[in-house]
């Protein structure tokens, strides 16, 4: 989250001109979603993912609570995109299963969501591969290439 704050405050790469579109962030293995919460505060579209249903409920609650006034912000400071409503979406995603399935782009809702938002401009991962095995690393790399 410090990286996002620093980039945004200094006019970093996703803030250049700010005229074309709102940036979209994909967070894999979001857990409670601190990086997504930080990115959403900067007006970015968020697609946050995890596998556990209880974690997904808490993730969604955290994202909603960390919006201004407990509702999604509808604009950021750039006049060019102020009418484009910010999207904050939570999806279940098991990247090992998704990486192994050749049809995953067609059956996983997260991929159609990302397509509708023009793809992911930034992919966030934080503490997601602790104790991971070689197959888990390979699955993550396969998924990132989809």
């Amino acid at each position: 989250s410090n990286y996002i704050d620093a980039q945004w405050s200094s006019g970093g790469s996703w803030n250049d001109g700010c005229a074309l579109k709102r940036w979209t962030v994909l967070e894999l293995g979001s857990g409670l979603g601190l990086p997504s919460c930080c990115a959403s505060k900067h007006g970015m579209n968020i697609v946050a993912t995890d596998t556990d249903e209880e974690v997904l409920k808490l993730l969604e609650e955290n994202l909603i609570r960390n919006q201004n006034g407990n509702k999604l912000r509808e604009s950021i400071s750039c006049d060019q995109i102020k009418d484009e409503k910010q999207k904050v979406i939570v999806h279940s995603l098991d990247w090992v299963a998704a990486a192994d399935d050749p049809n995953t782009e067609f059956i996983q809702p997260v991929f159609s969501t990302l397509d509708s938002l023009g793809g992911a401009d930034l992919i966030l991962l934080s503490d997601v591969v602790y104790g991971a095995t070689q197959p888990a690393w390979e699955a993550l790399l396969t998924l990132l290439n989809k």
Side-chain angles (χ1 to χ4, degrees):
S1 65
N2 287 340
Y3 174 77
I4 293 169
D5 282 336
Q7 286 295 308
W8 190 266
S9 314
S10 68
S13 59
W14 57 70
N15 200 20
D16 292 344
C18 204
L20 298 176
K21 71 175 193 118
R22 183 184 304 276
W23 271 58
T24 297
V25 171
L26 168 64
E27 185 178 10
L28 299 174
S30 300
L32 299 179
L34 180 59
S36 287
C37 287
C38 181
S40 74
K41 289 283 190 181
H42 292 296
M44 297 176 191
N45 291 324
I46 305 298
V47 180
T49 67
D50 210 295
T51 57
D52 184 273
E53 287 302 317
E54 284 299 311
V55 170
L56 290 168
K57 289 176 191 172
L58 292 171
L59 171 60
E60 186 170 33
E61 187 176 315
N62 282 344
L63 287 166
I64 290 169
R65 284 185 177 189
N66 282 283
Q67 296 299 315
N68 291 341
N70 289 339
K71 66 176 192 166
L72 300 181
R73 287 178 17 172
E74 295 189 9
S75 66
I76 59 175
S77 61
C78 299
D79 291 338
Q80 295 89 342
I81 61 173
K82 70 180 178 182
D83 294 328
E84 178 189 325
K85 186 174 180 180
Q86 179 189 23
K87 315 280 188 307
V88 179
I89 302 159
V90 173
H91 279 297
S92 177
L93 178 66
D94 177 343
W95 75 64
V96 175
D100 288 341
D101 188 343
N103 296 315
T104 197
E105 294 99 46
F106 306 109
I107 61 172
Q108 291 283 341
V110 67
F111 290 104
S112 60
T113 297
L114 287 169
D115 283 345
S116 74
L117 295 171
D121 299 296
L122 181 65
I123 300 174
L124 300 174
L125 301 97
S126 176
D127 203 21
V128 294
V129 290
Y130 47 87
T133 62
Q134 184 67 26
W137 281 101
E138 289 171 4
L140 179 57
L141 292 174
T142 298
L143 182 65
L144 291 173
N145 285 315
K146 289 194 176 205

